Amino acid sequence: MKGRGLGRQGVPAAGSSGRFDPRVRQMMLSKGLKRKREEEEEEKESLAVDAWWLDPGHPAVAQAPPAVASSSLFDLSVLKLHHSLRQSEPDLRHLVLVVNTLRRIQASMAPTAALPPVPSPPAAPGVADNLLASSDAALSASMASLLEDLSHIEGLSQAPQPLADEGPPGRPTGGASPGLGALDLLGPATGCLLDDGFEGLFEDIDTSMYDSELWAPASEGLKPGPEDGPGKEEAPELDEAELDYLMDVLVGTQALERPPGPGR
Amino acid sequence: MPSHRMPSEADIISTVEFNHTGELLATGDKGGRVVIFQREPESKNAPHSQGEYDVYSTFQSHEPEFDYLKSLEIEEKINKIKWLPQQNAAHSLLSTNDKTIKLWKITERDKRPEGYNLKDEEGKLKDLSTVTSLQVPVLKPMDLMVEVSPRRVFANGHTYHINSISVNSDCETYMSADDLRINLWHLAITDRSFNIVDIKPANMEDLTEVITASEFHPHHCNLFVYSSSKGSLRLCDMRAAALCDKHSKLFEEPEDPSNRSFFSEIISSVSDVKFSHSGRYMLTRDYLTVKVWDLNMEARPIETYQVHDYLRSKLCSLYENDCIFDKFECAWNGSDSVIMTGAYNNFFRMFDRNTKRDVTLEASRESSKPRAVLKPRRVCVGGKRRRDDISVDSLDFTKKILHTAWHPAENIIAIAATNNLYIFQDKVNSEMH
């Protein structure tokens, strides 16, 4: 084959060497929350994942069993989901694929057998679980609300089109496939992060964010606590301003607008 | 709106498409521009120009828009261009960004009238007292001028981002697909469209799958296919129902249990689907493979070709840097015997369906001097490494060949490498065999 290049600008696109930025990876791992319970499940089979963490040169590797790497993968996916939601107009395909992947990871982390009830769990993992759970729930709630808002806004902006045969508005989706809102990160029905024996862990968490109709399935596992727990103040992924904003969107006092942030 | 982009980013090519004769090649870029190249006729007078492509016309198709209701900026990036079959002296094409499709008419003017009675050569009105006789203006040749004008604007048809457009073989209608819906338009009617596919769930929280690409059958004007983020293809018949939610055929390959991973769904997401010229087959591209499907067999593809299987062990890293979400296109050659698709490091791959041979080539300035012969490349995965091999770890993942096109009849291919366009011609076998 003979070639003739037709340069348009003559400036090649700036490219990296192709190596993945190690700073990103280290940041992921250092921000990851330790989940001591996972380390006890070494005998549990996990889905085959690629083994980049087994690179002996990698500082965080050590003798990490796949279960711990799944935790990093989970954190990475949650971060991706959060980043995707932050976009002014989320890429729907990217969002759906990340959510579905997150669900797979979450399902693989679910205990296959009921864990022995721990009457008084140590404080550190309890707090860590609270933080992770509250941030995940907030993310899921914000994602569900964002997508709902997308569909409401669509009704306003779409030009009226006379369609010969439009499906009825309440057309059943068919099947009971679990959806985005049913990530159920806290739901005891899927037994993901919780077991009945751990309900007590969340008694003191502030669940006012979860007590909306969008979050009906999960709220059965949570009880509004008598006092605010540490989960409210220390959510690592969302700060208070963002939580307030999301709350306002949920209760409809504020129309969805471009979230603050640099760039588009 | 201030642009946060570097100057060269607007030149990133986002789509490439030959017209039905291959005489014209259109490219769209991130800045909303369309550049059309025309093939010079081979002539004895200029033997060195040998049917090469030169710029024919450049125009601004889409501008950035601001949706005030949603407080969102609509990108001017051209997602797809599709040519209409030529019906008269003019050429027409459809170009689309995320939200709006436009029909452009391209005409040539190579003559102009001279000898007006009332105007002089510059167009100024003449002093009537100087006009003593009447003359008939004559057409005189002039330098070729290519004029492009927007004839239709198809707006407000899509809430989500348009990923595909496809002209029907009836030459009267076309379809446009976004993440959740597919609309049918009449080329002459802009104020309404007909929704033919809607996969939006009643409750958006139940959303698990989106439409990724769609295309009309090349011969049967009632048939079209659309692909999904879960790796399935749905062939729909517009005669069966007005709303084609029920597919006529569902093409899906069962997941390979030995290759299962957390990323199985992402890598199975179909990024492009193309009917063969014969209309008997479909070609799909997912992250690691291209697959040929027989329209008569829904259970599995009849052929699967590995594009870059060495990436299978790197999926986690590719997920981390979002490369796993890259959408590569695929193409058939004119006789449906060879298929082509892009990869990373400015590599692109071709697979000969008959001989089962494949080749990896590179689109880069260094390896493509004019009239140079392309050298096959090889990616080594460890073990023995030959002199010119590239190791997997030194692949440049920012250099992706997402958009490729094949001339409808000849062995001429167009490769978009970021903001450069490469056109390769096979001089030895310039006719299909």
Side-chain angles (χ1 to χ4, degrees):
Chain A
M1 279 239 163
K2 297 183 182 179
R4 177 174 169 229
L6 296 173
R8 282 152 61 93
Q9 267 286 325
V11 177
S16 70
S17 65
R19 295 183 195 279
F20 306 110
D21 189 347
R23 292 171 299 176
V24 175
R25 204 180 285 163
Q26 285 172 15
M27 183 192 78
M28 299 287 178
L29 293 171
S30 62
K31 268 187 97 170
L33 299 164
K34 290 200 174 73
R35 299 155 130 260
K36 218 168 168 190
R37 208 183 333 134
E38 302 299 326
E39 286 166 19
E40 293 165 1
E41 300 170 52
E42 275 170 303
E43 65 277 5
K44 179 178 78 67
E45 268 186 26
S46 62
L47 293 177
V49 218
D50 71 289
W52 60 262
W53 60 84
L54 291 178
D55 173 13
H58 199 283
V61 165
Q63 271 72 44
V68 174
S70 292
S71 171
S72 306
L73 204 57
F74 183 88
D75 295 339
L76 171 63
S77 299
V78 166
L79 255 147
K80 276 192 181 302
L81 179 60
H82 186 56
H83 178 73
S84 195
L85 288 170
R86 277 181 180 277
Q87 305 301 311
S88 49
E89 206 173 6
D91 178 350
L92 221 54
R93 171 183 168 261
H94 186 272
L95 188 61
V96 161
L97 289 174
V98 169
V99 165
N100 291 350
T101 304
L102 193 51
R103 208 185 303 127
R104 278 199 190 207
I105 295 166
Q106 177 203 336
S108 78
M109 291 160 73
T112 49
L115 292 173
V118 180
S120 54
V127 166
D129 282 336
N130 283 355
L131 295 176
L132 188 64
S134 66
S135 69
D136 294 337
L139 280 174
S140 299
S142 67
M143 175 178 58
S145 72
L146 182 76
L147 289 165
E148 271 303 313
D149 280 315
L150 273 179
S151 63
H152 292 149
I153 288 169
E154 170 206 349
L156 290 170
S157 69
Q158 202 171 23
Q161 300 165 3
L163 301 173
D165 182 16
E166 185 176 1
R171 204 153 43 93
T173 54
S177 55
L180 294 171
L183 265 184
D184 277 352
L185 292 171
L186 304 178
T190 59
C192 296
L193 296 180
L194 293 184
D195 193 276
D196 281 337
F198 288 94
E199 260 185 52
L201 274 177
F202 296 90
E203 269 179 2
D204 57 352
I205 201 173
D206 176 16
T207 60
S208 57
M209 174 160 250
Y210 316 137
D211 290 340
S212 70
E213 58 180 3
L214 287 171
W215 204 235
S219 59
E220 60 192 35
L222 301 169
K223 301 180 182 63
E227 63 195 75
D228 290 342
K232 189 182 177 188
E233 301 146 17
E234 299 170 39
E237 308 298 346
L238 299 174
D239 59 23
E240 276 204 17
E242 291 185 68
L243 281 175
D244 286 341
Y245 163 67
L246 286 167
M247 267 310 295
D248 288 337
V249 168
L250 279 173
V251 302
T253 57
Q254 176 177 333
L256 189 69
E257 62 183 25
R258 260 180 103 154
R264 300 172 61 176
Chain B
M1 300 285 287
S3 169
H4 302 279
R5 297 193 288 252
M6 306 229 325
S8 62
E9 193 171 331
D11 295 323
I12 293 175
I13 301 171
S14 47
T15 188
V16 186
E17 189 81 7
F18 282 99
N19 75 337
H20 295 274
T21 61
E23 183 209 351
L24 299 176
L25 173 68
T27 63
D29 67 20
K30 208 166 173 191
R33 274 184 322 175
V34 171
V35 180
I36 302 176
F37 299 87
Q38 184 187 42
R39 192 177 186 199
E40 296 304 319
E42 305 199 23
S43 71
K44 294 190 182 119
N45 296 338
H48 51 270
S49 74
Q50 286 178 341
E52 290 178 346
Y53 286 80
D54 290 318
V55 177
Y56 178 66
S57 172
T58 302
F59 62 95
Q60 189 73 32
S61 171
H62 286 70
E63 300 272 6
E65 286 173 50
F66 195 71
D67 182 334
Y68 290 95
L69 189 64
K70 294 199 227 178
S71 198
L72 292 171
E73 187 176 312
I74 300 169
E75 261 195 280
E76 67 274 31
K77 172 169 73 89
I78 308 295
N79 293 337
K80 281 281 147 53
I81 290 174
K82 284 286 146 81
W83 290 91
L84 268 56
Q86 192 175 8
Q87 287 172 327
N88 49 40
H91 291 101
S92 299
L93 60 79
L94 289 169
S95 65
T96 187
N97 67 350
D98 284 337
K99 299 285 184 176
T100 304
I101 308 130
K102 295 187 184 179
L103 174 66
W104 293 90
K105 194 163 181 181
I106 301 123
T107 48
E108 286 185 3
R109 190 193 291 272
D110 62 353
K111 297 181 192 50
R112 66 159 184 224
E114 279 180 19
Y116 283 103
N117 292 290
L118 300 177
K119 293 187 291 187
D120 66 16
E121 290 304 310
E122 281 128 40
K124 287 192 301 193
L125 285 174
K126 281 184 190 172
D127 180 358
L128 283 181
S129 60
T130 65
V131 179
T132 53
S133 62
L134 290 177
Q135 58 184 352
V136 177
V138 290
L139 291 173
K140 292 266 177 75
M142 60 179 259
D143 287 340
L144 180 67
M145 206 164 71
V146 180
E147 298 174 335
V148 182
S149 60
R151 298 304 264 232
R152 306 267 190 274
V153 176
F154 303 90
N156 299 321
H158 289 277
T159 305
Y160 305 101
H161 290 176
I162 298 174
N163 52 58
S164 317
I165 48 175
S166 178
V167 183
N168 199 337
S169 51
D170 67 7
C171 301
E172 288 184 354
T173 58
Y174 76 94
M175 69 159 149
S176 56
D178 65 32
D179 293 313
L180 298 179
R181 297 195 177 98
I182 302 181
N183 293 335
L184 183 72
W185 303 81
H186 194 286
L187 282 164
I189 299 170
T190 58
D191 62 354
R192 59 184 173 275
S193 67
F194 194 84
N195 177 244
I196 54 176
V197 174
D198 189 340
I199 66 167
K200 180 173 184 274
N203 192 347
M204 277 295 266
E205 294 175 17
D206 297 331
L207 181 66
T208 59
E209 194 173 10
V210 298
I211 298 169
T212 52
S214 73
E215 196 181 48
F216 267 120
H217 191 280
H219 311 309
H220 303 300
C221 57
N222 56 299
L223 288 181
F224 66 92
V225 68
Y226 71 91
S227 60
S228 85
S229 55
K230 286 196 171 175
S232 63
L233 300 171
R234 284 172 174 81
L235 188 72
C236 300
D237 188 338
M238 293 197 294
R239 293 174 308 191
L243 186 63
C244 300
D245 272 8
K246 283 206 170 76
H247 49 265
S248 296
K249 292 195 182 186
L250 173 64
F251 299 80
E252 212 168 22
E253 186 174 25
E255 195 180 354
D256 177 5
S258 64
N259 267 335
R260 257 192 107 203
S261 77
F262 293 117
F263 310 109
S264 292
E265 183 178 322
I266 300 179
I267 64 169
S268 76
S269 174
V270 172
S271 51
D272 194 16
V273 61
K274 294 264 171 46
F275 279 103
S276 63
H277 293 89
S278 64
R280 280 191 55 196
Y281 305 105
M282 296 181 295
L283 180 66
T284 58
R285 175 67 152 100
D286 51 61
Y287 191 62
L288 296 178
T289 70
V290 278
K291 295 178 172 150
V292 178
W293 303 77
D294 187 318
L295 253 59
N296 296 316
M297 188 160 83
E298 299 166 67
R300 72 190 72 80
I302 56 168
E303 295 156 30
T304 299
Y305 300 95
Q306 302 295 331
V307 179
H308 37 206
D309 200 54
Y310 44 79
L311 296 183
R312 199 176 287 274
S313 57
K314 314 265 179 201
L315 292 179
C316 199
S317 305
L318 295 162
Y319 177 67
E320 190 179 340
N321 66 9
D322 270 348
C323 280
I324 205 175
F325 298 101
D326 286 337
K327 291 184 286 186
F328 294 92
E329 292 170 8
C330 53
W332 296 91
N333 75 339
S335 62
D336 300 333
S337 59
V338 184
I339 55 189
M340 167 173 71
T341 189
Y344 293 108
N345 210 74
N346 279 350
F347 288 166
F348 58 99
R349 303 262 285 136
M350 289 192 197
F351 304 89
D352 189 318
R353 297 178 60 213
N354 299 324
T355 65
K356 299 303 180 196
R357 287 196 328 224
D358 63 84
V359 67
T360 304
L361 300 168
E362 184 178 359
S364 72
R365 288 170 181 274
E366 293 76 37
S367 59
S368 315
K369 302 286 186 295
R371 283 159 211 82
V373 176
L374 279 180
K375 189 179 58 175
R377 308 306 310 266
R378 219 175 77 110
V379 177
C380 72
V381 218
K384 287 195 188 138
R385 197 197 143 157
R386 289 186 226 158
R387 200 168 62 111
D388 290 325
D389 284 3
I390 313 273
S391 88
V392 183
D393 296 314
S394 50
L395 289 174
D396 188 344
F397 288 87
T398 63
K399 294 187 177 159
K400 12 194 148 200
I401 308 266
L402 302 173
H403 312 289
T404 59
W406 205 309
H407 189 285
E410 298 185 34
N411 268 349
I412 304 172
I413 56 176
I415 310 285
T418 316
N419 55 348
N420 291 313
L421 179 72
Y422 292 87
I423 299 176
F424 300 110
Q425 302 195 27
D426 186 0
K427 278 311 182 185
V428 178
N429 297 310
S430 51
E431 294 301 325
M432 278 294 106
H433 49 85

